Amino acid sequence: QGQRPASIASVWRLITQSNVGTTRRPLGRPRADSHAVAHLICSMTMETTLARSQRRVLALVSLTCILALSSPWPGSLSVVVTEALASGFSASFGDVLSTIPLLLLAAAVAVTVIHAWLRERTRRPALIGGVIGVVVALGSSEGLKALFQQPRPCTAWNVPTQCPPTGDWSLPSNHATLACAAVVVIAIATRSVLATVLAVVAALLVSVGRMIEGMHYLHDVALGALVGGGVALMCAALVVGMSRRRRGSSAVTIQFS
């Protein structure tokens, strides 16, 4: 108690001086605790997966989504914004606004992933994890829908659109989930802040379009964005970490063979 947490540099020194490979840990030096080691691994993985400017963009998006989730109940900002969008624009415009950017994101994912796969072998584990994350995020979104069972806005308001039947729930938005998972994959593949910002704008248009259609509330798309982006990032970090661990084990095996 009262001690400052270990910095990344000090944790790294402890790890390299611990009983790994042929190096013995010096007597009298404390072992790095598991939380510090986990923090180090996560930080190193994120640094090699995304550029710092990209992480700032995604952090800003996450903060905005969290603020949108802060008051999701009737009469809140979420309901007011969604009702204003649904009543201010036509449903057909919302359909176009949500469909075209999502198709563009899907095409951008395919192009950028193939390009990065062919040019940089070191980025392949992160790409694999990100693509897996898109699928996992969609499954997570469906599971949350079944858990929350929130009706869509079009069931409560007179919205000129064909509302899905009961059982096709609203929270979270699958469109926003897929769009923001695609943003993460594009960010990993390009490591370009411009490409990341453009992908975020496309995901925003998808989300706004779904609200204009009366299919989702603001907090639906906010949660979908957090699920999509968060799961894709975690899957990418997990695969990168597993790849590094496997390469480290292979190096130790070769050293002792």
Side-chain angles (χ1 to χ4, degrees):
Q1 296 180 349
Q3 295 180 348
R4 295 178 61 186
S7 64
I8 290 180
S10 62
V11 173
W12 178 246
R13 285 195 299 270
L14 288 174
I15 293 174
T16 55
Q17 293 169 354
S18 62
N19 295 331
V20 177
T22 59
T23 304
R24 292 185 177 275
R25 182 174 59 88
L27 296 176
R29 298 291 296 276
R31 290 182 180 272
D33 62 89
S34 59
H35 295 289
V37 174
H39 175 70
L40 171 65
I41 294 172
C42 180
S43 299
M44 291 177 61
T45 301
M46 290 301 296
E47 286 175 4
T48 56
T49 302
L50 297 174
R52 179 178 298 180
S53 55
Q54 290 178 300
R55 297 200 299 271
R56 289 175 178 172
V57 171
L58 296 182
L60 179 61
V61 172
S62 299
L63 178 60
T64 303
C65 292
I66 291 172
L67 291 176
L69 282 169
S70 61
S71 56
W73 309 115
S76 68
L77 177 64
S78 175
V79 176
V80 170
V81 169
T82 306
E83 189 171 13
L85 288 172
S87 60
F89 299 91
S90 66
S92 58
F93 173 71
D95 181 50
V96 172
L97 194 63
S98 62
T99 302
I100 293 180
L102 188 61
L103 293 176
L104 291 175
L105 283 172
V109 166
V111 171
T112 56
V113 166
I114 292 173
H115 182 264
W117 184 275
L118 296 176
R119 291 197 61 182
E120 298 187 45
R121 294 176 59 90
T122 57
R123 209 178 300 179
R124 290 181 179 180
L127 293 172
I128 293 172
V131 172
I132 292 174
V134 175
V135 179
V136 176
L138 180 59
S140 302
S141 178
E142 288 291 345
L144 289 173
K145 282 179 180 288
L147 176 64
F148 294 124
Q149 296 187 0
Q150 176 188 276
R152 294 183 181 272
C154 54
T155 62
W157 305 331
N158 185 20
V159 179
T161 185
Q162 185 176 359
C163 198
T166 302
D168 190 350
W169 307 113
S170 175
L171 179 67
S173 165
N174 281 346
H175 280 66
T177 299
L178 288 173
C180 287
V183 168
V184 170
V185 176
I186 292 170
I188 293 171
T190 62
R191 289 183 66 86
S192 165
V193 65
L194 177 59
T196 304
V197 170
L198 291 176
V200 168
V201 171
L204 176 62
L205 293 177
V206 171
S207 301
V208 171
R210 293 299 283 173
M211 288 189 287
I212 290 175
E213 289 183 87
M215 296 296 177
H216 291 290
Y217 293 101
L218 175 61
H219 60 271
D220 296 346
V221 297
L223 182 58
L226 289 174
V227 171
V231 171
L233 275 175
M234 286 189 292
C235 288
L238 178 62
V239 175
V240 169
M242 292 172 60
S243 176
R244 284 180 171 176
R245 183 176 180 181
R246 184 165 55 250
R247 288 201 304 268
S249 300
S250 299
V252 171
T253 302
I254 294 172
Q255 181 180 358
F256 283 94
S257 61

